[in-house]
Amino acid sequence: MKHYRGWFLIVLLFFILAEIIWSWGSGKKAYKVKDTFTNLAIFAGFHFSKFLFAGYQLGVTGFASRYAVLNIPASWWSFAICFVLADFIYYWFHRASHVWKPLWAFHLVHHSGMCMNLTTAYRLNWFSALISPLFFMPLAVIGFPPAFIAASYALNLLYQFFMHTEAVGKLGFAEGWIDTPSAHRVHHGSNRIYIDKNFGGVFMIWDRLFKTWQPETEKPVYGITSGLISYNPFTLMFRGFIDLFRNKMHYKG
């Protein structure tokens, strides 16, 4: 497993370096030094938190599995169904994280970056592992194998890694049906027309069904509506919680 994680990080680093070269060569300025180092520091903390909360996550899924109503066999078709259902749950988890202040306290850090590049993908709250398993408990209660649930969520996040870029333009017929870099740039935009749009992780079908789909029609302005918070990872990590308890939540959507 350690060997696998090493190769995984090497692949991510390869794409990040390729994007940096593209950004520098094209003059797009998708990377800024302070912002990038902040993202990398946050990623390091998030990577550590996965080990810290691994037992808790397994415990939550295992507890829900005790009450499974079905005994779904482990097969390619059951994994495919689990993957689609996990994306449906992710849509609502993601949407709730924008409109409900306690969840926005966790999610704010992801939208606080002022740039859009691959390192932004892992600008994730170190404590998000405390809440994400709770949303996926229904899959365990239905009867899907815990390994399938974990893999579906992990692949969902991996797919989204590649969506955090300005290097890829619109993808024609795919727009509005699956998540694309263009659709995800909209999601990260603080422009008025982009707020609370494009919540899907892999599929945009949910956004079409529930009226949150928005194509990219103007250049996104990244960050939250209140502007730059800080480049300090600890300040960013706790800012949402501090605002929540002070009842001064900066709503971004």
Side-chain angles (χ1 to χ4, degrees):
M1 182 61 71
K2 291 182 179 179
H3 181 72
Y4 170 78
R5 286 198 297 266
W7 279 108
F8 174 74
L9 291 175
I10 290 173
V11 170
L12 296 186
L13 181 60
F14 169 80
F15 280 102
I16 290 171
L17 290 175
E19 188 184 44
I20 290 174
I21 294 172
W22 164 82
S23 176
W24 176 76
S26 62
K28 294 293 184 179
K29 299 181 180 179
Y31 282 82
K32 293 181 180 179
V33 175
K34 287 185 178 180
D35 187 83
T36 301
F37 276 102
T38 298
N39 292 348
L40 295 177
I42 290 174
F43 172 68
F46 178 73
H47 194 64
F48 173 75
S49 73
K50 289 196 300 182
F51 294 99
L52 187 64
F53 298 121
Y56 163 79
Q57 291 180 297
L58 291 173
V60 169
T61 306
F63 173 79
S65 295
R66 296 178 188 175
Y67 302 94
V69 297
L70 299 174
N71 183 22
I72 299 175
S75 64
W76 68 267
W77 60 264
S78 60
F79 179 76
I81 295 173
C82 182
F83 183 83
V84 173
L85 290 177
D87 192 66
F88 176 72
I89 290 174
Y90 176 83
Y91 169 87
W92 287 107
F93 172 37
H94 195 183
R95 186 169 178 176
S97 295
H98 279 251
V99 300
W100 191 40
K101 291 180 179 181
L103 288 182
W104 175 245
F106 288 89
H107 197 52
L108 178 148
V109 63
H110 186 63
H111 283 271
S112 62
M114 306 300 288
C115 297
M116 183 64 156
N117 56 60
L118 294 175
T119 66
T120 306
Y122 287 102
R123 193 181 178 104
L124 301 171
N125 195 288
W126 299 337
F127 306 101
S128 59
L130 293 174
I131 56 172
S132 56
L134 303 177
F135 281 82
F136 292 91
M137 287 177 66
L139 293 178
V141 173
I142 291 173
F144 287 102
F148 279 16
I149 300 170
S152 294
Y153 187 42
L155 288 173
N156 194 300
L157 294 181
L158 175 61
Y159 179 83
Q160 290 185 60
F161 167 78
F162 296 99
M163 301 301 102
H164 291 79
T165 184
E166 293 188 311
V168 180
K170 291 190 175 183
L171 297 180
F173 70 91
E175 299 294 340
W177 299 106
I178 62 172
D179 196 6
T180 65
S182 176
H184 211 68
R185 287 193 293 270
V186 166
H187 177 70
H188 274 263
S190 59
N191 314 47
R192 182 179 295 273
I193 64 168
Y194 291 163
I195 292 177
D196 290 342
K197 302 296 182 183
N198 300 358
F199 295 111
V202 175
F203 303 111
M204 285 288 109
I205 299 171
W206 320 124
D207 288 281
R208 284 184 173 273
L209 285 174
F210 301 110
K211 310 301 181 184
T212 53
W213 159 245
Q214 171 63 47
E216 187 178 21
T217 56
E218 61 185 50
K219 183 176 177 58
V221 177
Y222 303 116
I224 60 175
T225 53
S226 56
L228 177 67
I229 296 176
S230 173
Y231 290 114
N232 185 315
F234 294 95
T235 300
L236 292 169
M237 204 57 53
F238 294 101
R239 175 59 178 271
F241 301 112
I242 292 172
D243 287 344
L244 177 64
F245 289 118
R246 288 179 177 174
N247 199 29
K248 295 181 179 179
M249 179 63 64
H250 294 285
Y251 176 77
K252 184 270 177 194

